Amino acid sequence: MTDNVNAVTRATEPDSLEALPRALDENSALHGLHAQILDLLGLAICAGELPTKSVFRIEELEERYGVSRSVVREAIRVLASMGMIASRRRVGVQILPESDWNLYDPQVIRWRLASPARISQLRSLTELRTAIEPEAARLAATRAPLADASELMGLAGKLWAAGQADDPAEFLILDIEFHRLVLASSGNEMFAKLNSLVAEVLTGRTNYGLMPEHPHNDALQLHVDVASAIQRGDAAAAQTAMLGIMERAFDEMSSIWADGEPG
């Protein structure tokens, strides 16, 4: 490392930048340098490779990655907007504690799910979904437009077919759309805005092998039950069926939480 790194004596881990990869992916140009640097830093922070209160300087990142100051500054600006870092005059860029982060930001969720703390993150997100989605289903049963209720029934049927066909990619797309539409049909704009959070949870569970290899028929039936209850305007039944989906998610992941990370 450069002399600059050794000079950062205020950091909790003065050489914490050593934990970061030195080379950008050869395909980084396809994603944009700003996005690439942002991902590298966001993942490093969430993984604890850049621990809370540690400090680094923009010049160090310029040298390490061979990118311009404007590229690094843009990544720093985005991370600061997420509450993950703060620039301190005459000190450098300091990593802020998790309590300051915007934990609802989809990118932060994605980075946390990619970190060693993914099990804890997944538990927190599933608890949040359990608090919100049954109520969203209850409201949807009284507020959903007829077209949305009909679309939910169609999605439930397609989910069943994808589950029976063992098509995880198609199942994920349909599952995300199903839960997005329930949240949107609740008529509560705050609930509707949580759709990206739910999408990240479902995508993370799939990408990290935290979903059952084959969707259980009970889970598939519960999606049908939610859609059917919303279509016929049965608020209590819609709420109960969605709660059943959440409880099944906890059951499916309970053994993972007990055993720790999958390999």
Side-chain angles (χ1 to χ4, degrees):
M1 287 295 293
T2 65
D3 291 338
N4 282 338
V5 174
N6 294 327
V8 185
T9 56
R10 297 178 183 84
T12 304
E13 303 252 353
D15 297 322
S16 58
L17 284 181
E18 291 288 1
L20 299 178
R22 287 183 175 274
L24 292 172
D25 186 276
E26 62 182 2
N27 295 319
S28 62
L30 298 176
H31 308 292
L33 287 174
H34 292 96
Q36 191 79 356
I37 295 294
L38 178 63
D39 268 340
L40 288 171
L41 292 176
L43 286 166
I45 294 170
C46 289
E49 293 165 6
L50 289 175
T52 300
K53 295 186 180 180
S54 65
V55 176
F56 62 87
R57 298 186 183 279
I58 289 176
E59 294 85 353
E60 296 164 11
L61 296 182
E62 291 179 59
E63 180 176 338
R64 174 175 285 270
Y65 298 118
V67 295
S68 68
R69 176 161 297 198
S70 65
V71 168
V72 175
R73 283 192 180 280
E74 176 61 17
I76 296 301
R77 182 193 67 78
V78 174
L79 290 169
S81 73
M82 297 173 175
M84 300 181 77
I85 63 172
S87 295
R88 311 293 190 193
R89 293 189 64 181
R90 295 187 295 276
V91 175
V93 180
Q94 186 171 53
I95 310 301
L96 298 178
E98 193 175 80
S99 57
D100 288 352
W101 302 357
N102 178 7
L103 299 178
Y104 288 90
D105 188 287
Q107 282 185 291
V108 176
I109 292 171
R110 198 174 308 134
W111 294 329
R112 294 180 81 201
L113 286 173
S115 78
R118 73 170 58 106
I119 297 300
S120 175
Q121 166 72 136
L122 194 58
R123 181 189 291 111
S124 296
L125 290 169
T126 304
E127 289 171 351
L128 178 64
R129 291 184 65 197
T130 301
I132 297 299
E133 291 198 64
E135 177 62 12
R138 186 188 72 80
L139 291 173
T142 64
R143 299 174 177 175
L146 182 59
D148 286 358
S150 297
E151 186 178 351
L152 278 170
M153 283 300 300
L155 285 168
K158 292 176 182 178
L159 265 173
W160 190 289
Q164 294 296 314
D166 287 331
D167 187 345
E170 180 67 8
F171 187 89
L172 175 61
I173 292 170
L174 293 168
D175 203 19
I176 288 172
E177 179 59 17
F178 182 91
H179 289 277
R180 183 203 68 77
L181 189 53
V182 171
L183 289 168
S185 298
S186 71
N188 183 309
E189 74 282 4
M190 305 297 288
F191 286 180
K193 282 296 185 180
L194 294 176
N195 71 86
S196 57
L197 179 152
V198 173
E200 290 297 339
V201 176
L202 295 172
T203 301
R205 284 189 65 192
T206 299
N207 290 345
Y208 294 107
L210 303 175
M211 291 282 277
E213 186 176 354
H214 306 288
H216 197 282
N217 283 350
D218 288 351
L220 298 174
Q221 182 61 52
L222 282 167
H223 284 77
V224 173
D225 293 345
V226 168
S228 176
I230 290 174
Q231 188 175 52
R232 66 179 187 269
D234 190 334
Q239 183 178 41
T240 298
M242 183 62 83
L243 182 59
I245 292 175
M246 298 298 107
E247 289 172 344
R248 279 210 63 86
F250 271 108
D251 289 343
E252 290 165 358
M253 292 182 286
S254 60
S255 60
I256 298 171
W257 291 336
D259 297 340
E261 287 291 318

